[in-house]
């Protein structure tokens, strides 16, 4: 076999048990949280029609899609996000389901990004979408659920960077700049190329007043939502649609603050996102130690209509599971999984193997994670292996103790042991956790 097969394809990863456990644990928190807020899970295919996925994903993302022809000659792609698929569902199979509709998804996505820290070609997202409401409380709910997830996984230090695409688009609309040109400006802003964005607006016929407003706007940013949105309003006063957008953003931020969630916002007037379907509030999550976003979201009121499902306003967020896991590592947050007790059952000699199997079943029946010594090793060798693998409790099953309905329970951390009856075993493990 060629040695190339011994490695994963560039940008693809094997997740070994520790990494897989961390990822699944975040996924579990995301799923539980979804249920708590009334989001029901939908499972959509990894392979979709190229046109669906490419429709409003933006130029940069479009170039990075895994596109191929299937054996039936269809032009298909691996999903680079969930939003288009979920919107397709709402526009087709769920048109008659009463709104608001809250849908959750989790799974792997594919983008031909340049592999580097936190950037993979296969990655995982949790995804929450709320359909049917254009009210600021819907936007606020998405911000609050995002913050709640970060708190639940114990991330300590992060903020939400937030803006509203209607502000920039409102200014550009006011100048009669076509949507396609606006999209190009947004792509440049997403890459923080402010000067290039301004040059493009000039080329597209933007007036000096518009350029001045944009230049001032790009400098407005800060942690005080009331003050920052006030400054934004002052700068774009001459553009009524942009002003409406500022009011909308300010309303959303007030509701999110009043919810008591205590979200740390950073409002940045020149912030844009690469995805083209956004029509309202947009935001990204940043952990203090990392300059790549842990998640992103926003309002997109026209996508369902584009997919033929009528006017259905929508807002959502996709927290990236891989990057949240990296942020937890950076902040040295201990995974909850590692705090769970793990029991190792060791038979003393071959004669006790069947008894040990029975004890293991009893333990699992009580919900303890239980492994059994399966290599016929001596008690001392099995114990040193258990130590190395972070086992919390060993249960030694010997003939003498078993005759009295007892086993030896060893607390691996304290390095102490006691003989306990099978009846007391479960309680003692819990007590010595
Ligand atoms: P996005 O900003 O493209 O938004 O992706 C959301 C998150 O997915 C990113 O913040 C990041 O954590 C993760 N992510 C993206 N690309 C990669 C990569 N190459 N490697 C690792 N992680 C990555 C969306 O996908 C929108 N669909 C979000 C949304 C939902 N908007 C409304 N509803």
């Amino acid at each position: 076999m060629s040695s190339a097969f011994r490695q994963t394809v560039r940008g693809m990863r094997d997740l070994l048990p520790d990494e897989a456990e961390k990822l699944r644990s975040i996924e579990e928190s995301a799923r539980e949280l979804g249920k708590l807020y009334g989001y029901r899970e939908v499972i959509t295919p990894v392979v979709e029609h190229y046109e669906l996925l490419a429709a409003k994903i933006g130029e940069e993302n479009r170039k990075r899609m895994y596109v191929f022809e299937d054996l039936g000659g269809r032009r298909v792609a691996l999903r680079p996000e969930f939003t288009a698929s979920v919107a397709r569902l709402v526009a087709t199979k769920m048109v008659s389901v009463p709104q608001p509709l809250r849908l959750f998804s989790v799974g792997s996505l594919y983008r031909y990004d340049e592999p580097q820290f936190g950037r993979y070609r296969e990655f995982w997202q949790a995804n929450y979408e709320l359909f049917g409401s254009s009210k600021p409380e819907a936007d606020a709910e998405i911000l609050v659920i995002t913050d709640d997830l970060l708190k639940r996984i114990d991330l300590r230090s992060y903020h939400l960077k937030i803006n509203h695409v209607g502000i920039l688009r409102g200014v550009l609309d006011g100048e009669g700049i076509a949507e396609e040109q606006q999209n190009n400006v947004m792509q440049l802003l997403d890459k923080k190329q402010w000067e290039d964005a301004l040059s493009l607006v000039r080329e597209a016929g933007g007036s000096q007043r518009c350029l001045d407003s944009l230049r001032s706007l790009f400098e407005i940013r800060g942690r005080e939502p009331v003050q920052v949105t006030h400054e934004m309003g002052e700068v774009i006063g001459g553009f009524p649609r942009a002003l409406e957008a500022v009011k909308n953003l300010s309303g959303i931020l007030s509701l999110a603050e009043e919810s008591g969630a205590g979200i740390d916002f950073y409002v940045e007037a020149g912030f844009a996102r690469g995805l083209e379907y956004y029509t309202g509030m947009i935001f990204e999550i940043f952990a203090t130690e990392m300059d790549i976003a842990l998640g992103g979201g926003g309002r997109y009121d026209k996508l369902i209509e584009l997919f033929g499902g009528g006017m259905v306003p929508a807002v959502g967020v996709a927290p990236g599971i891989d990057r949240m896991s990296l942020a937890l590592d950076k902040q040295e947050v201990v995974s909850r999984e590692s705090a769970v007790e793990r029991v190792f059952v060791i038979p003393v000699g071959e004669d006790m193997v069947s008894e040990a199997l029975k004890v293991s079943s009893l333990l699992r029946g009580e919900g303890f994670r239980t492994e059994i010594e399966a290599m016929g090793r001596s008690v001392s060798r099995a114990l040193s292996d258990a130590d190395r693998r972070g086992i919390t409790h060993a249960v030694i099953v010997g003939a003498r103790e078993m005759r009295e309905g007892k086993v030896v329970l060893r607390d691996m951390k304290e390095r102490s042991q006691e003989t306990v009856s099978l009846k007391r075993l479960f309680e003692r493990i819990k007590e010595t956790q």
Side-chain angles (χ1 to χ4, degrees):
M1 197 192 259
S2 142
S3 64
F5 294 151
R6 293 169 62 84
Q7 287 174 359
T8 54
V9 171
R10 185 166 150 77
M12 299 290 160
R13 294 162 299 157
D14 291 317
L15 297 179
L16 298 183
D18 283 348
E19 285 164 289
E21 204 164 81
K22 277 191 230 164
L23 204 125
R24 293 293 183 220
S25 150
I26 298 176
E27 185 180 311
E28 204 41 50
S29 302
R31 197 183 298 275
E32 282 304 310
L33 190 69
K35 285 186 197 151
L36 213 53
Y37 280 72
Y39 286 71
R40 301 197 61 202
E41 184 163 355
V42 286
I43 302 175
T44 56
V46 170
V47 176
E48 293 266 14
H49 289 290
Y50 168 78
E51 282 73 20
L52 174 97
L53 299 173
K56 282 279 170 191
I57 193 148
E59 189 49 28
E60 288 294 320
N61 287 321
R62 202 174 293 129
K63 282 194 294 210
R64 300 205 172 107
M65 274 164 60
Y66 277 88
V67 187
F68 58 101
E69 198 180 283
D70 73 6
L71 293 180
R74 296 169 199 91
R75 195 164 187 229
V76 295
L78 300 184
R79 62 184 179 197
E81 58 149 4
F82 285 112
T83 308
S85 302
V86 183
R88 171 183 57 72
L89 263 192
V90 173
T92 55
K93 298 181 182 144
M94 300 185 87
V95 253
S96 51
V97 180
Q99 290 165 0
L101 192 53
R102 292 179 168 88
L103 299 176
F104 168 77
S105 298
V106 63
S108 58
L109 304 151
Y110 303 84
R111 294 184 192 178
Y112 202 79
D113 277 334
E114 196 46 38
Q116 51 190 281
F117 175 76
R119 185 158 285 138
Y120 314 111
R121 291 182 178 169
E122 180 184 48
F123 60 95
W124 276 258
Q125 279 182 354
N127 190 82
Y128 305 92
E129 309 285 3
L130 202 173
F131 297 95
S133 171
S134 56
K135 297 271 181 201
E137 47 267 45
D139 303 67
E141 173 173 313
I142 289 295
L143 296 170
V144 170
I145 197 170
T146 303
D147 181 69
D148 209 346
L149 177 63
L150 300 170
K151 287 201 178 105
R152 250 156 224 270
I153 61 168
D154 292 329
L155 192 71
R156 281 193 273 270
S157 175
Y158 58 87
H159 65 266
L160 302 190
K161 180 155 98 175
I162 189 164
N163 194 19
H164 191 303
V165 292
I167 303 171
L168 287 164
R169 288 204 188 264
V171 172
L172 301 176
D173 278 344
E175 297 282 299
I177 294 174
E179 192 183 332
E180 192 132 328
Q181 298 272 41
Q182 293 187 16
N183 291 344
N184 295 337
V185 174
M186 294 295 188
Q187 295 285 330
L188 289 171
L189 291 179
D190 181 38
K191 291 189 272 180
K192 298 191 170 63
Q193 297 174 354
W194 328 104
E195 285 305 321
D196 293 342
L198 288 172
S199 305
L200 202 59
V201 175
R202 191 178 298 114
E203 279 164 32
S207 67
Q208 195 54 44
R209 181 180 71 117
C210 156
L211 289 165
D212 290 344
S213 298
L214 289 180
R215 193 177 287 282
S216 313
L217 203 57
F218 294 166
E219 273 160 24
I220 300 176
R221 58 193 65 186
R223 292 205 124 81
E224 285 299 325
V226 176
Q227 192 197 323
V228 179
T229 48
H230 176 75
E231 284 173 31
M232 284 158 117
E234 303 248 287
V235 168
I236 43 93
F239 298 90
R241 288 175 72 174
L243 206 53
E244 270 307 304
V246 173
K247 276 197 199 130
N248 179 239
L249 178 63
S250 158
I252 294 165
L253 287 165
S254 304
L255 278 180
E257 292 216 307
E258 284 156 18
S259 77
I263 306 174
D264 188 3
F265 285 112
Y266 185 77
V267 189
E268 189 175 308
F271 160 55
R273 278 173 52 71
L275 297 155
E276 275 167 11
Y277 46 64
Y278 292 120
T279 54
M281 173 275 289
I282 48 165
F283 70 103
E284 280 177 352
I285 311 163
F286 285 93
T288 316
E289 297 78 2
M290 280 161 65
D291 59 3
I292 45 174
L294 306 191
R299 171 167 287 284
Y300 54 102
D301 286 346
K302 297 199 176 129
L303 197 59
I304 315 293
E305 197 177 18
L306 184 76
F307 294 163
M311 218 350 247
V312 180
V315 57
V317 61
I321 297 182
D322 312 76
R323 292 193 189 166
M324 286 193 287
S325 180
L326 287 173
L328 290 178
D329 285 347
K330 288 249 177 218
Q331 299 190 359
E332 295 176 3
V333 176
V334 182
S335 135
R336 287 180 193 191
E337 285 292 312
S338 54
V340 171
E341 75 282 339
R342 286 173 60 196
V343 185
F344 193 39
V345 180
I346 309 169
V348 184
E350 261 179 49
D351 295 348
M352 296 312 290
V353 169
S354 57
E355 293 297 333
L357 282 168
K358 276 184 220 154
V359 173
S360 309
S361 301
L362 290 174
L363 283 159
R364 290 187 197 110
E366 288 296 311
F368 292 106
R369 295 185 182 190
T370 309
E371 295 164 51
I372 187 164
E373 164 54 32
M375 291 187 18
R377 289 175 292 197
S378 68
V379 173
S380 67
R381 287 190 58 196
L383 281 176
S384 59
D385 177 47
D387 217 14
R388 185 177 57 83
R389 292 188 303 115
I391 296 281
T392 56
H393 296 84
V395 174
I396 302 161
V397 184
R400 191 155 34 92
E401 289 82 8
M402 262 323 237
R403 270 198 292 277
E404 295 168 23
K406 292 179 176 169
V407 289
V408 172
L409 173 64
R410 184 175 174 84
D411 183 329
M412 299 298 293
K413 213 164 42 211
E414 297 295 324
R415 298 186 177 280
S416 62
Q417 60 185 50
E418 60 185 308
T419 304
V420 290
S421 69
L422 279 172
K423 277 194 191 137
R424 284 270 293 144
L425 177 63
F426 312 135
E427 263 169 63
R428 284 303 289 153
I429 295 178
K430 282 184 193 142
E431 282 165 12
T432 55
Q433 223 169 278

